[in-house]
Amino acid sequence: LESFDVGAIREEFPILKREFDGQQVVYLDNAATTQTPDPVVDAMSDYYREYNANVHRGIHHLSQEASIAYEEAHDRVAGFINADGREEVIFTKNTTESENLVAYSWGLNELGPGDKVVLTEMEHHASLVTWQQIGERTGADVEYIRIDEDGRLDMDHARELIDDDTAIVSAVHVSNTLGTVNPVGELTDLAHEHGALSFIDGAQAVPNRPVDVKEIDADFYAFSGHKMAGPTGIGVLYGKQDLLEAMEPYLYGGGMIRKVTFEESTWGELPWKFEPGTPPIAEAVGLHAAIDWLEGIGMDRIQAHEEEIARYAYEQLEAEDDVEIYGPEPGPDRGGLVSFNLEGVHAHDLTSIMNDYAVAVRAGDHCTQPLHDKLGVPASTRASFYVYNTREEVDKLVAALEDARELFA
Ligand code: PMP
């Protein structure tokens, strides 16, 4: 794969030039949110300057234009992940809301005592907490596929857990803490062999690798705009059309109905049935522009770049005797982030020292508390990379770590 000009890409992100105390920011918090390139900001600003109006096909010109842009954003997302069409693409607020949509619309109605929801030990709270709550309300059991020493899923345990009582398997595609890339196609096949559905949390996958929902055969697949060079305030729920047709909405209101009387209401077409109220219009325009921008570079090239930087970071950190890294070694099943701890220094202290060097990393449990319990640490520091990061930035991270060590020695 031919590489691309990272310098030219960085020019599209004025924020990367910001300085704090005379030091240029080193932004390594991309798993939390990515930066937004000028073409995406421009697309949203054009929307507000040129054709801002409410959607749902108003009669006037501006509403027509806004409606077309909003609808086309669904088509663009569908093409990007190889869904069949806009009917299978629901815009939500974020991955979390996409999880909740399925949990409420499908889970609350379909699950009961004796049913099993199978998650993994590396689920983000977005799915873990949500399915726990649905389990409590419906009486369904929630069980977790174990991870092994290296932070990979124990697939023997998966085959043991996923059985004829299983109603849904919900798994993270790329772990936001361990970086593990899970065999989501295999998990989906296992679910289907037992008549269960699969929900894949792609929040850390769609931003940095080609994702084909048909190849995975996922029943549901979720991700967020703000982690893929797009805006905050918009997320996607992909769902197979026949499943979405059969599901009841869980949010009600205007824009999603076919017919309303004082006694009862019926629902409109997909995807609008699940998008009541004024939707995130500017954000949809921004997401469309972000996908154009990403595909302009090429998802396979973005993946290769990110993995190369993450591998470099892994190797630099691994060379430090007192650094513990979580998750698998660099390879095809590891994505573009590295979580670690420096012996004797709390992750929050380490991250705060890094901030003195304008190195932006995240400390905490990364919304995977049970996983951190299992790792036996309260928190970790996470460096996560994207298309605009460089090896020099990794060197600054490591230099800051070395200074932190001396400070705390
Ligand atoms: N799942 C994973 C794997 C994530 O990394 C995140 C974001 N940290 C989420 C879900 C939740 O995404 P959002 O905050 O956009 O809803």
Side-chain angles (χ1 to χ4, degrees):
L1 272 179
E2 215 184 302
S3 63
F4 48 84
D5 182 353
V6 179
I9 284 187
R10 290 180 70 88
E11 286 300 312
E12 297 188 272
F13 295 84
I15 200 170
L16 296 178
K17 294 205 175 82
R18 283 209 58 193
E19 294 189 355
F20 298 93
D21 298 325
Q23 303 169 99
Q24 192 173 342
V25 69
V26 174
Y27 189 77
L28 304 178
D29 195 17
N30 295 287
T33 204
T34 52
Q35 297 303 339
T36 322
D38 283 338
V40 174
V41 178
D42 291 346
M44 294 173 73
S45 131
D46 283 350
Y47 164 77
Y48 279 119
R49 288 181 199 280
E50 305 287 341
Y51 58 101
N52 175 36
N54 214 324
V55 292
H56 305 311
R57 300 251 157 210
I59 303 286
H60 61 79
H61 290 301
L62 291 175
S63 177
Q64 293 290 341
E65 285 186 15
S67 299
I68 288 168
Y70 186 64
E71 289 165 13
E72 283 179 354
H74 288 76
D75 299 339
R76 188 70 180 94
V77 170
F80 185 55
I81 58 171
N82 196 26
D84 273 337
R86 64 173 67 155
E87 297 77 13
E88 297 192 325
V89 173
I90 295 158
F91 285 160
T92 60
K93 191 166 67 205
N94 46 35
T95 303
T96 305
E97 189 182 304
S98 300
E99 296 267 7
N100 276 269
L101 195 161
V102 173
Y104 277 82
S105 284
W106 177 86
L108 270 192
N109 289 312
E110 299 293 331
L111 295 175
D115 286 328
K116 210 153 87 173
V117 174
V118 175
L119 308 179
T120 78
E121 286 184 336
M122 60 176 98
E123 286 319 287
H124 188 278
H125 294 167
S127 89
L128 198 152
V129 177
T130 304
W131 288 111
Q132 250 177 10
Q133 286 300 313
I134 297 297
E136 273 184 28
R137 293 210 209 168
T138 60
D141 284 329
V142 178
E143 298 190 35
Y144 301 90
I145 303 168
R146 277 194 300 265
I147 57 166
D148 66 18
E149 295 273 282
D150 302 325
R152 295 185 175 91
L153 287 181
D154 176 345
M155 290 303 286
D156 287 333
H157 190 226
R159 279 181 279 273
E160 229 170 85
L161 275 187
I162 300 171
D163 60 14
D164 289 344
D165 292 332
T166 305
I168 192 164
V169 176
S170 183
V172 68
H173 192 162
V174 178
S175 162
N176 65 309
T177 298
L178 301 170
T180 318
V181 181
N182 287 319
V184 288
E186 213 178 317
L187 287 169
T188 298
D189 289 346
L190 273 176
H192 290 167
E193 277 164 33
H194 294 280
L197 300 179
S198 84
F199 185 116
I200 307 301
D201 169 353
Q204 300 294 347
V206 171
N208 50 47
R209 62 196 58 235
V211 168
D212 181 330
V213 291
K214 286 226 179 61
E215 195 180 305
I216 299 168
D217 200 20
D219 296 295
F220 301 106
Y221 195 101
F223 53 101
S224 297
H226 69 95
K227 293 182 199 281
M228 51 188 289
T232 56
I234 188 163
V236 173
L237 173 68
Y238 157 82
K240 286 183 181 162
Q241 187 170 351
D242 55 336
L243 290 168
L244 293 175
E245 298 280 10
M247 272 160 54
E248 274 295 302
Y250 92 105
L251 291 170
Y252 303 99
M256 50 90 68
I257 51 85
R258 183 187 310 279
K259 173 102 182 98
V260 179
T261 68
F262 284 122
E263 287 74 35
E264 58 175 19
S265 305
T266 53
W267 316 136
E269 302 288 315
L270 287 173
W272 324 124
K273 172 176 128 178
F274 291 104
E275 297 185 2
T278 301
I281 308 164
E283 290 77 5
V285 167
L287 180 59
H288 186 155
I291 293 173
D292 287 347
W293 187 83
L294 291 169
E295 287 204 323
I297 301 168
M299 294 312 295
D300 43 2
R301 294 205 296 172
I302 292 172
Q303 178 178 5
H305 175 76
E306 189 176 311
E307 286 177 0
E308 198 261 319
I309 299 291
R311 172 187 287 269
Y312 180 66
Y314 187 100
E315 287 167 358
Q316 299 302 303
L317 290 168
E318 207 195 16
E320 311 275 342
D321 287 342
D322 52 357
V323 170
E324 188 180 9
I325 304 177
Y326 307 104
E329 292 195 347
D333 61 355
R334 184 175 183 108
L337 61 90
V338 184
S339 299
F340 59 94
N341 268 305
L342 175 63
E343 201 182 299
V345 182
H346 193 283
H348 286 108
D349 294 329
L350 176 61
T351 301
S352 148
I353 300 294
M354 291 197 167
N355 187 50
D356 293 342
Y357 295 85
V359 174
V361 291
R362 187 154 293 249
D365 59 45
H366 320 305
C367 295
T368 55
Q369 264 181 32
L371 175 61
H372 276 79
D373 287 345
K374 172 135 185 167
L375 297 172
V377 289
S380 57
T381 295
R382 179 182 70 189
S384 52
F385 308 99
Y386 208 41
V387 52
Y388 36 68
N389 288 125
T390 64
R391 282 180 172 232
E392 291 70 45
E393 289 182 306
V394 173
D395 293 340
K396 287 186 186 166
L397 167 89
V398 175
L401 179 125
E402 276 160 7
D403 284 353
R405 176 192 292 124
E406 276 183 19
L407 211 82
F408 283 95

